[in-house]
Amino acid sequence: MRVALGLAAALALCGCGDSGPGREPDGPLQTDDKPAAEQSPDPARAGELAAARPRFVGQWAADPASCKSDPWLFTATSLYTPAGSTCGFNRVTDVPGGYDIQATCSAEAPPRSDRLKIRFDEAAGMMQFESETIAGTALVFCGRTV
């Protein structure tokens, strides 16, 4: 068991198995069966989210050239944009074609409740991002660093 955990940690650190810029990671891994009433942040819930790596986890950018200079960082429980906007995820729901995320976001204003929509455009090789707080955009996959 320790060997398997050590191997998994080493693979995560070296970035082995990552797709190159513009390539998407493997399909959705996260599902969420909690009722809508349980949307408040919960440290125990954040651990559950982090345990199953959702497809959106990693660095994304507007184009491959921006992967080095202006990437968006998605973790299983948060989002950080190059413009300084941040979101903490309260609930991640696997939906057809992507994810719906109940989040608390801050973008040049006090934190507020938000609903993020992430959809994968397989034909274009991009992830579509929509938010009430942060400007929507299409992003290419840069790699997994988290």
Side-chain angles (χ1 to χ4, degrees), residues 8-20 53 143-146:
L11 288 173
L13 288 174
C14 78
C16 299
D18 286 354
S19 302
R53 187 194 274 181
R144 291 198 195 270
T145 60
V146 290

Side-chain angles (χ1 to χ4, degrees), residues 29-102:
L29 302 174
Q30 172 71 36
T31 58
D32 189 350
D33 299 320
K34 289 203 171 190
E38 294 182 33
Q39 294 181 9
S40 61
D42 176 0
R45 179 72 182 126
E48 289 176 27
L49 290 174
R53 187 194 274 181
R55 182 178 182 181
F56 58 78
V57 171
Q59 289 186 332
W60 297 79
D63 54 64
S66 298
C67 284
K68 295 210 183 281
S69 60
D70 292 318
W72 294 45
L73 176 61
F74 286 84
T75 72
T77 59
S78 60
L79 162 65
Y80 303 91
T81 73
S85 299
T86 62
C87 296
F89 301 163
N90 303 319
R91 181 176 182 211
V92 176
T93 305
D94 184 8
V95 298
Y99 298 88
D100 284 341
I101 301 171
Q102 293 297 322

